[in-house]
Amino acid sequence: MFKPAPLSLTIAALLSAPNALAGTVTGTVIDPQQQPIENVIVHYHGKQQSVRTNANGEFSITLDAAGELHFSKDDYIDKRVAVNEQDQTVQVNLTPSAIETVVVYASGLDKNNLDMVSPVSVLSGDALRDSAQPTLGETLKGIPGINASYFGPVASSPIIRGLDGPRVKITQNGLDSSDASRVGPDHAVTTESIAAEQIEVLRGPATLLYGSGAIGGVVNVVDNRIPTDRIEGYEGAAEYSHDTVSTTNTYAGMFAAGHDGFNVHVDGTDRVGHDYETPRFYTQEHEGELEAHDKVDNTFIDSATVNLGTSYVADHWTLGLSYGRIESDYGIPAHSHDHHAHEEHGHDEHGHEDHGHDEHGHEDHGHEDEHDGHDEHAGEEQAHNVFARVEQDRWQALASYSFHDSIIETLSVRAGYTDYRHAEVEEQTIGTLFENTTHEARINAKHRVGQWHGTLGYHYTDSDYAASGAEAFTPATETQVHALYLLEEREFGDWTLELGARVEDYRLSSDIAGTSEHEDEHEDHGHEQEHHDEHLEDAELIAYEYDETNLSFSLGGIWQYQEGYSLAVSLSHSERAPLTAELLSNGEHIATSTYELGLAYDIEDGEAHFNGQNVQQEVANNIDVSWRKYIGDFGVNLSVFYNDVENFYYQQDTGLVYEHDEGFIAAQLGDEDAMTVYQYQSQDAELYGFELDMHYQISQQWRIKGFADSVSAKLDNGEYIPRIPAAKLGTQLDYTLQNWDLALKATHYLEQDDIAASETVTDAYTLVDFTVDYNFAVGSFDGVAYMQLNNLTDELGFVHSSFIKEQAPLPGRNLRLGIRAYF
């Protein structure tokens, strides 16, 4: 049984030591109108210690040596004040920012987003709660420069500046999410937005800390499962919401308590929803007839999460441990099988009914008895619908020591262990099973050497991935990474210079079958799996290892050329080795209705032959320029970028189809059930675009926002890169009156006609959303009751970046009612 408090007590007894307190600094924090500011974080630089101002803007903090106090609050410009260990009183003025501001934990130096060279977007507080969706992609897609892959609302990953999948690193508290979301678009990201404190999206030099998988950007989900501040007493929150478009009920809760540096934390979520409704749309069936739809079948969700954590926070030490569990069933839209595939999934190698077995051969019921699949969702299950069953156990540990008057400011270690399992289930039988076990550790030494301030780190990852079953289109692989990285900054008057570098040893190893396997498959479907397995036993396996050194570096600077104005420029060079799916795919991927081949294969005489030699790294050279105005009633954040990529990995239609009894043949020779063959290729490419975010405070009650983004992406041969998101632009009008907050938002997605040869044009559409929040207090409880009307005009919209664009349009009009309470 997990017992957090005794663990913390034991560690504290061994490592804590008393400190002589020499002085107390008291003070007040006020705004330009001389009004007190509540909940300002006052941090004693060089220690873990921090306090918050009360309702009168007052604070008190003890010091044992001269140092610096850092004052920060969301939507205010940070300030630093030098103090000594003697008793003293200070008064601090904070200036409001015209642009939302927040400390970015993933920056490596805990910097404010306005002080960073790299463009950063942060979603936190009530804005995060109002935007939270079952998937990370849908939660973030309204931010300029970010879109979603959209495999239905339950499997949607973020796209940053046109890049997604293997090029976007998804982390939780700085450690990889360690799921299978980068293997296929139908695999959901295992993070829960509603339980997060904030979600950070980084581009540019700061991503060097996170590895070659962050060549496009980093999405870091920050939660407080390991508390890093001292909690005195207890605090908590609870939320319930209901969505009419999918009859989804969501529950979430959090409780934290602490005393004398010892903290405990628990949070959990439960979400149950059904197939979502859409405006009327049509799909073309095999017979050529159009079929009308008013909802997207097989888009239910039934998920639950729980997180437990404990920590001990002293003046110098922070020690903590957490455990998280995810169980989620969700439907996979447009994921169906023909008769052949059903027979293949339904029997073992002897033709007997297969109830699913784990890697050791034991019968595996998962948690089928608990949920009984998704039978409770009456009327939704089709005869051959496939749903995903995701289970994940995740442990995280943190140890941090803050020095004082030392070159090293903070030495911290974050470590994680993740056991992930994704089963694709049909008729209560596991057809395909994806598993991933990951060990990860990150050691950071934050330091100050002369005028330079930075962080030096070591990063280790070992990922053991396996796939088995009918749709195991990627082989079992082990990926190991060792990396060293350095991020340094120095101020030169109004200039701040930032330098970064990372060297990474990347090793991928696997046993590969030398050719495709169609020659041993027969039309006798009852014995097909038997022939398939016999072929695997007889096939010559190739012990393959891909070993590469990835070198990345960056140079950037930010010029505060006038109070409240800055100009930031960054240059970066990033190298990336291919992931398993890009390199070694060889099989049917039913979710995308394609046969996928990796970079390491050649097609000859209707067969795929393995050739893992001469696979080149993907190399990106990026320039980014940002202009920011963040003081006064008008604020603006404009970024433009140009990304030149050598050996860009992408999937190309080969002009072939795959049939079980024929292998790879010309498309015109295949029947209507044959799968189009897509193969990963590499070719030079360029991506460029912009992001714009503006705010204007019309009056104390009224504020208007404007936003826009666009990305263009072409290969050197003049063809467009597939599934690049459409440009979007929009506006939002906010009104505040006493306890009421109202917002009206319209987002227009332009027509996307810059398309690859295998794509179709996606029409423009506009989404209108209206939100009303009522803030209230009852006794010791503060709360928010809210109503959201999403897609108010019931617009039919198709997502160009989706693999199943035509089968899964966006949801129709939705009324979301909810209540949040804090104590």
Side-chain angles (χ1 to χ4, degrees), residues 474-544:
T474 53
T477 57
E478 182 177 4
T479 305
Q480 194 172 89
V481 174
H482 296 270
L484 292 173
Y485 55 85
L486 179 68
L487 185 66
E488 297 287 337
E489 67 172 15
R490 179 179 175 179
E491 295 183 2
F492 297 88
D494 296 331
W495 278 91
T496 300
L497 178 68
E498 185 176 277
L499 305 174
R502 178 184 174 106
V503 58
E504 176 181 279
D505 178 58
Y506 177 93
R507 295 185 181 182
L508 181 151
S509 57
S510 181
D511 291 330
I512 308 297
T515 62
S516 59
E517 301 161 8
H518 73 271
E519 61 268 22
D520 283 322
E521 295 179 357
H522 305 281
E523 293 189 16
D524 183 358
H525 303 311
H527 299 284
E528 181 179 321
Q529 186 67 40
E530 181 178 353
H531 286 289
H532 174 80
D533 293 337
E534 288 175 357
H535 172 75
L536 288 177
E537 292 175 2
D538 297 336
E540 180 181 356
L541 296 179
I542 302 170
Y544 175 70

